[in-house]
Amino acid sequence: MSHIPTQRRNEISIGTLSGRTGLAVSAIRYYETQGLVAPERNAGGQRRFLRSDIRRLSFVMIAQKFGFTLDRIREVLGRLPEKRTPTAADWTDISHDFRVELDAQIAALTRLRDKLDGCIGCGCLSLDRCALYNPDDAAGEKGAGPRYLLGDEVVKSDG
Amino acid sequence: MSHIPTQRRNEISIGTLSGRTGLAVSAIRYYETQGLVAPERNAGGQRRFLRSDIRRLSFVMIAQKFGFTLDRIREVLGRLPEKRTPTAADWTDISHDFRVELDAQIAALTRLRDKLDGCIGCGCLSLDRCALYNPDDAAGEKGAGPRYLLGDEVVKSDG
DNA sequence: ATAATTCCTAAACCTAACTTTAGCTCAAGT
DNA sequence: ACTTGAGCTAAAGTTAGGTTTAGGAATTAT
């Protein structure tokens, strides 16, 4: 029992992971409950993450920027190889999937905007004939709770 | 006290408004608490809306499809004339404002997507050099609670 | 006149994505 | 050895956008 280090080469603490990703410690714990990371525990019961979890959580953050839910992100992460540290190629693969969904979302939003243009022209903006009323575009119903398509703030290039 | 009608020509009940807009009665009441409509009350304490509230709530629904929050929608509605029923031109004006914000959002999303392309190319996808890491794009921090950019589902053209 | 709707309020519940708080334990530095 | 900082869990709180429930009151239909 001399000096077995608590934090070995390839294992990092939650605080270190927080520092490297910019995520709050509480957020990382929450992500664990959501199945987005699965750290081991050391003898004292503290979480020990892999270095590759830095990249994993970074991916989560980026996907969130794109508006994907944690559920969807968990699904996509499930396509990474289990018993091997993911390679750059693995990450490229799943990023490509996101790219496809993202294109679809941009297209949907653009279609909706174009319909708005039509409605600005005709001034109807409300009743049954209005193209904006056909509910086949944009977010659909999915049980209780809120549904969003876009955030609440326009992006600013600079303050 | 013979026949003073409870629901006069230009006044409609919450149920009628619900039927005309497709909104749930509970949603309309909620919108009232959020300052999106301000119905009067009849002698019995029941809400009496104006016919023009049909269009008003329709506008709310459309703006929500575009992803605007109720707060933002309330702001925009505040720019309608107070003591006069809004004309088609009034609606066109505020729709045009939305159009501008919408364009900005589409552009921001497209920029973000293009950065993802760059990252697919380089395979970095995580660390400090990554363009996706610069937090100057997409939704920023705004206190506690969730922040979203895009919804959780890709639009489907058909089931 | 009475039954069936519709409407009312207040409070609780729901989801997503977290944060905060309370009360302890573990690990690190001196 | 001991103090401090970091970590732990469980539970409650937060925001947005509503829905659900409970228990009455007003309207409408017959």
Side-chain angles (χ1 to χ4, degrees):
Chain A
M1 303 74 173
S2 48
H3 32 206
I4 300 168
T6 297
Q7 187 165 328
R8 290 191 307 183
R9 270 310 120 237
N10 206 34
E11 296 178 339
I12 62 179
S13 69
I14 196 167
T16 304
L17 186 54
S18 169
R20 295 297 300 273
T21 57
L23 286 167
V25 166
S26 62
I28 298 176
R29 289 203 194 100
Y30 175 71
Y31 288 166
E32 184 185 359
T33 72
Q34 300 307 295
L36 295 169
V37 260
E40 310 263 299
R41 299 297 177 118
N42 71 2
Q46 299 194 350
R47 292 171 181 80
R48 292 304 160 204
F49 296 85
L50 299 174
R51 298 206 150 274
S52 59
D53 286 334
I54 298 171
R55 180 168 287 221
R56 190 178 178 94
L57 289 193
S58 299
F59 179 81
V60 171
M61 294 171 78
I62 291 169
Q64 278 204 295
K65 267 197 188 177
F66 285 125
F68 294 97
T69 62
L70 296 185
D71 271 11
R72 184 79 190 86
I73 296 171
R74 181 168 27 65
E75 277 177 33
V76 174
L77 284 175
R79 308 223 338 257
L80 285 173
E82 286 278 334
K83 280 294 178 189
R84 150 168 80 74
T85 300
T87 65
D90 293 327
W91 289 113
T92 301
D93 280 354
I94 71 178
S95 296
H96 188 266
D97 287 355
F98 269 157
R99 158 79 207 225
V100 170
E101 290 192 33
L102 203 49
D103 281 347
Q105 284 178 321
I106 291 173
L109 200 53
T110 304
R111 278 199 304 278
L112 208 54
R113 183 201 58 191
D114 291 346
K115 287 185 184 176
L116 181 61
D117 276 358
C119 284
I120 289 179
C122 77
C124 71
L125 238 214
S126 81
L127 305 173
D128 314 313
R129 318 166 285 150
C130 183
L132 283 170
Y133 259 149
N134 296 319
D136 61 351
D137 233 339
E141 305 285 327
K142 303 211 314 183
R147 299 135 229 153
Y148 304 89
L149 181 63
L150 273 179
D152 51 3
E153 202 177 49
V154 175
V155 172
K156 302 182 189 70
S157 292
D158 206 335
Chain B
M1 301 75 174
S2 46
H3 32 207
I4 299 167
T6 298
Q7 187 166 328
R8 290 191 307 184
R9 271 308 121 240
N10 206 33
E11 296 178 337
I12 61 179
S13 70
I14 195 167
T16 304
L17 186 54
S18 169
R20 297 297 300 272
T21 58
L23 285 167
V25 166
S26 63
I28 297 176
R29 290 204 194 98
Y30 175 70
Y31 288 166
E32 183 185 359
T33 72
Q34 301 307 295
L36 295 170
V37 259
E40 310 262 296
R41 300 295 176 121
N42 71 2
Q46 298 194 352
R47 292 172 180 80
R48 292 305 160 205
F49 295 85
L50 299 174
R51 296 205 150 274
S52 60
D53 287 334
I54 298 170
R55 179 167 287 221
R56 190 178 177 94
L57 290 192
S58 299
F59 180 81
V60 172
M61 294 172 78
I62 290 168
Q64 277 202 294
K65 267 195 187 177
F66 285 124
F68 294 97
T69 61
L70 296 185
D71 271 11
R72 185 79 190 87
I73 297 172
R74 181 168 26 63
E75 276 176 35
V76 174
L77 284 175
R79 309 225 336 261
L80 284 174
E82 287 277 336
K83 280 295 180 188
R84 151 168 79 72
T85 301
T87 65
D90 293 326
W91 289 114
T92 302
D93 280 354
I94 71 179
S95 296
H96 188 265
D97 288 355
F98 270 158
R99 158 79 207 226
V100 170
E101 290 192 34
L102 203 49
D103 281 347
Q105 284 177 322
I106 292 173
L109 199 52
T110 305
R111 279 198 303 279
L112 207 55
R113 184 202 58 192
D114 292 345
K115 286 185 183 176
L116 182 60
D117 277 357
C119 282
I120 288 179
C122 78
C124 70
L125 237 214
S126 79
L127 305 173
D128 314 313
R129 320 166 283 153
C130 183
L132 283 171
Y133 260 148
N134 296 320
D136 61 351
D137 233 340
E141 306 283 330
K142 303 210 314 181
R147 297 138 229 151
Y148 305 87
L149 181 62
L150 273 180
D152 50 3
E153 204 177 48
V154 175
V155 172
K156 300 182 191 70
S157 291
D158 205 334

